[in-house]
């Protein structure tokens, strides 16, 4: 059996953990630079606030309807997610962290005497009591059906109490007949349109298609999904694999012409990529750097520049990768433009242990122990404290965050104060 655990309205729930006075009140969380709504509590949804709503257009409505508005607090959300996922993995060693607020658990060769429904309620109680985050659980013989079961658990909270199990053919058919095709996990917009053209409106109707048609029109991936929905396990837990390239891109809080500002941003992005390389024990041999103006700004000429810098050796050192990133930036930076976004992508990845040595020039061996020490100290202190001199010592991400809540769990000065 597979269980899909989903944190309810995760970002809003994280804000409520440390602000219990907000329980039952409408909350929205904004995207980077306070741009648009990316998360809503059930109360905000009931008030008609749409996902993706531009903050500046809805600001008046937020005030009129007394909606609490927060900037994205990714440090807090990431830490709370880690706590939830660590707890879930105490219930079974077979777990796949699917996203920041979702995880699949696999219960294989489980004791048949255990009441699985009660076991799911135990998981739900443990996570909510330990972290304050409410969760919904869907349990079924396959991953795709577990996703359907989870949707039912969330949709009919009063009836299911946040847990729904599909453990019979009758419940499987009933669930698939209820599930709209556009809500089925793994079916994108293009396939939805193609299916609707042939009057496929529900997940059940999708499972009635022939395997031949499904494979031809939706490839082997679509066929596996169909079989999973039929109750034939075709999708297993995915084992994390190292990425083939790593990217860090961000929009700036404002438009900037200053080269030094843009350089500092590019250096920070490059160092973030280097840290990710070390985390997966890889080295890179090339870097792509790009910068772009705000295409939505009227009256200004748009500009997009990018270049690839090939390294003379493979490396995952902050110092070396940031140096190559600056070389790339110098190639493409043009004076007179207002830049809104920049990014770097490290490529040509290879295992750290199998780095090819060069006859004439190699990565500075001293950087290995230096980077290890920096990573260790930054991890111990909970956030990036040790930086290169070319970085801004105050902030890692320069974003407009006018409604940012405290980082209760990752910054010592933001820790809650208990009055007794």
């Amino acid at each position: 059996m597979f269980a899909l655990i989903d944190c309810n309205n995760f970002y809003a729930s994280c804000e409520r953990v440390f602000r219990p006075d907000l329980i039952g009140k409408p909350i929205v969380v904004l995207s980077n630079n306070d741009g648009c709504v990316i998360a809503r509590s059930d109360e905000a949804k009931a008030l008609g606030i749409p996902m993706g709503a531009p903050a500046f257009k809805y600001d008046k409505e937020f005030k009129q309807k007394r909606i609490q508005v927060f900037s994205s607090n990714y440090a807090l959300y990431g830490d709370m997610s880690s706590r939830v996922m660590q707890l879930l993995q105490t219930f079974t060693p077979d777990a796949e962290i699917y996203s920041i607020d979702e995880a699949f658990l696999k219960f294989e060769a489980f004791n048949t005497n255990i009441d699985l429904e009660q076991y799911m309620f135990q998981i739900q109680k443990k996570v909510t009591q330990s972290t304050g985050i409410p969760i919904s659980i869907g349990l079924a013989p396959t991953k795709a059906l577990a996703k359907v079961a989870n949707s039912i658990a969330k949709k009919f909270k009063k009836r299911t109490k946040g847990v729904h199990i599909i453990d019979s053919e009758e419940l499987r058919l009933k669930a698939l007949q209820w599930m709209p095709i556009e809500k089925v996990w793994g079916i994108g917009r293009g396939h939805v349109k193609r299916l609707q053209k042939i009057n496929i409106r529900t997940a059940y109707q999708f499972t009635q298609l022939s395997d031949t048609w499904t494979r031809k029109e939706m490839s082997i991936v679509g066929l596996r999904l169909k079989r999973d929905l039929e109750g034939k396990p075709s999708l297993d837990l995915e084992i994390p694999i190292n990425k083939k390239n790593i990217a860090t891109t961000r929009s700036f809080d404002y438009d900037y012409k200053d080269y030094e500002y843009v350089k500092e941003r590019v250096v920070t992005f490059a160092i973030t990529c280097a840290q990710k390389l070390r985390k997966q024990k890889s080295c890179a041999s090339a870097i792509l750097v790009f910068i772009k103006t705000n295409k939505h700004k009227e009256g200004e000429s748009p500009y997009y520049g990018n270049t690839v810098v090939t390294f003379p050796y493979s490396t995952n050192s902050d110092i070396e990768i940031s140096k190559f990133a600056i070389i790339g930036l110098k190639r493409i930076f043009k004076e007179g433009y207002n830049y809104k976004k920049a990014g770097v992508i490290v490529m040509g990845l290879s295992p750290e242990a199998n780095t090819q040595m060069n006859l004439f020039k190699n990565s500075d061996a001293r950087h290995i122990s230096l980077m290890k020490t920096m990573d260790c100290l930054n991890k111990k202190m909970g956030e990036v404290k040790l930086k290169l001199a070319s970085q801004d010592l105050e902030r890692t991400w320069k974003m407009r965050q006018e409604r940012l809540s405290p980082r209760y769990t990752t910054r010592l000065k933001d820790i809650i104060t208990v009055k007794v």
Side-chain angles (χ1 to χ4, degrees):
M1 297 288 278
F2 290 87
L4 175 66
I5 286 78
D6 187 9
C7 300
N8 301 339
N9 305 317
F10 182 58
Y11 290 177
S13 295
C14 287
E15 299 292 351
R16 282 175 169 161
V17 169
F18 302 95
R19 290 282 307 276
D21 58 302
L22 297 179
I23 294 174
K25 296 181 180 179
I27 296 173
V28 298
V29 178
L30 305 179
S31 62
N32 290 346
N33 297 313
D34 293 346
C36 61
V37 174
I38 58 170
R40 305 161 295 164
S41 65
D42 289 336
E43 296 79 8
K45 294 174 186 176
L47 291 173
I49 304 299
M51 184 68 84
F56 73 95
K57 286 186 178 181
Y58 281 79
D59 193 52
K60 187 176 181 181
E61 191 169 344
F62 292 155
K63 293 175 182 177
Q64 289 176 342
K65 296 180 177 179
R66 297 183 178 181
I67 297 172
Q68 298 290 322
V69 184
F70 291 94
S71 300
S72 296
N73 191 340
Y74 293 120
L76 175 64
Y77 307 154
D79 184 64
M80 294 302 293
S81 173
S82 178
R83 293 170 186 232
V84 171
M85 300 307 167
Q86 286 177 20
L87 276 172
L88 293 177
Q89 290 175 65
T90 64
F91 290 92
T92 173
D94 298 322
E96 174 194 335
I97 299 174
Y98 185 68
S99 67
I100 192 171
D101 62 348
E102 289 180 292
F104 283 102
L105 302 183
K106 186 177 182 180
F107 299 96
E108 197 169 38
F110 222 63
N111 190 335
T112 55
N113 295 322
I114 290 180
D115 185 329
L116 279 174
E117 184 177 32
Q118 289 305 312
Y119 196 63
M120 295 304 108
F121 280 120
Q122 286 180 34
I123 294 175
Q124 185 187 59
K125 183 179 179 180
K126 180 67 174 178
V127 171
T128 303
Q129 283 186 341
S130 301
T131 67
I133 302 294
I135 63 173
S136 297
I137 303 176
L139 186 70
T142 70
K143 286 178 74 175
L145 286 174
K147 190 79 172 176
V148 175
N150 187 276
S151 297
I152 294 172
K154 289 192 292 185
K155 182 70 175 179
F156 305 102
K157 287 181 184 177
K158 290 184 179 179
R159 190 188 310 171
T160 65
K161 297 180 182 178
V163 173
H164 183 68
I165 299 177
I166 297 176
D167 57 359
S168 69
E169 184 65 5
E170 180 185 358
L171 287 174
R172 183 186 75 84
L173 295 176
K174 187 177 180 180
L176 295 185
Q177 288 166 353
W178 167 81
M179 174 67 73
I181 191 64
E182 63 271 17
K183 298 293 185 181
V184 175
W185 173 60
I187 298 184
R189 292 180 183 178
H191 286 315
V192 166
K193 290 179 181 178
R194 187 176 295 110
L195 291 166
Q196 288 176 341
K197 281 183 180 179
I198 58 174
N199 291 318
I200 302 299
R201 307 290 175 183
T202 66
Y204 173 74
Q205 291 175 326
F206 172 62
T207 61
Q208 299 308 294
L209 293 170
S210 69
D211 286 356
T212 302
W213 185 95
T214 307
R215 179 159 188 166
K216 180 181 177 182
E217 299 295 330
M218 300 178 66
S219 78
I220 189 66
V221 176
L223 181 58
R224 286 174 183 160
L225 174 61
K226 175 177 174 291
R227 289 177 176 170
D228 228 51
L229 291 170
E230 291 171 342
K232 304 169 186 174
S234 302
L235 304 172
D236 206 344
L237 298 183
E238 294 185 5
I239 300 172
I241 58 174
N242 288 342
K243 297 179 180 179
K244 294 182 179 179
N245 55 60
I246 294 173
T248 302
T249 69
R250 293 287 189 279
S251 294
F252 304 149
D253 47 355
Y254 300 100
D255 296 349
Y256 290 93
K257 286 184 177 180
D258 182 49
Y259 169 77
E260 290 300 322
Y261 177 89
V262 177
K263 184 182 80 170
E264 190 278 330
R265 293 290 79 204
V266 167
V267 166
T268 295
F269 300 162
I271 289 172
T272 299
C273 286
Q275 291 167 348
K276 293 177 181 178
L277 281 171
R278 295 195 295 275
K279 191 172 182 179
Q280 72 169 38
K281 299 187 184 304
S282 296
C283 289
S285 59
I287 188 169
L288 182 148
V289 182
F290 77 83
I291 51 175
K292 63 189 298 186
T293 57
N294 188 345
K295 63 180 180 181
H296 302 293
K297 201 162 187 177
E298 297 180 0
E300 292 191 9
S301 300
Y303 171 69
Y304 172 79
N306 72 85
T307 187
V308 173
V309 179
T310 302
F311 307 161
Y313 44 79
S314 293
T315 180
N316 57 20
S317 161
D318 291 357
I319 299 170
E320 292 169 340
I321 289 180
S322 61
K323 179 184 71 174
F324 293 124
I326 293 173
I327 291 173
L329 178 63
K330 287 179 178 178
R331 290 180 188 172
I332 58 176
F333 187 87
K334 291 185 178 181
E335 298 286 349
Y337 286 98
N338 288 305
Y339 294 101
K340 182 61 177 176
K341 187 174 183 178
V344 301
I345 305 173
V346 289
M347 305 177 294
L349 273 52
S350 60
E352 186 180 57
N354 299 335
T355 302
Q356 181 67 45
M357 301 298 288
N358 191 298
L359 184 61
F360 300 105
K361 195 172 185 181
N362 290 291
S363 175
D364 192 329
R366 295 174 297 176
H367 292 183
I368 296 174
S369 57
L370 175 60
M371 294 300 111
K372 186 176 181 179
T373 301
M374 289 181 65
D375 290 340
C376 182
L377 289 171
N378 282 328
K379 183 178 181 180
K380 188 175 181 179
M381 291 186 285
E383 59 180 289
V384 179
K385 288 291 186 182
L386 290 179
K387 298 183 179 183
L388 301 190
S390 53
Q391 291 181 268
D392 187 326
L393 299 180
E394 296 299 321
R395 286 194 290 173
T396 299
W397 309 124
K398 294 186 177 181
M399 295 185 291
R400 195 180 310 149
Q401 294 176 306
E402 297 170 355
R403 307 177 188 189
L404 186 66
S405 57
R407 299 177 188 176
Y408 301 102
T409 64
T410 60
R411 180 181 286 179
L412 192 58
K413 70 177 183 180
D414 287 345
I415 196 169
I416 58 174
T417 302
V418 179
K419 297 180 181 179
V420 293

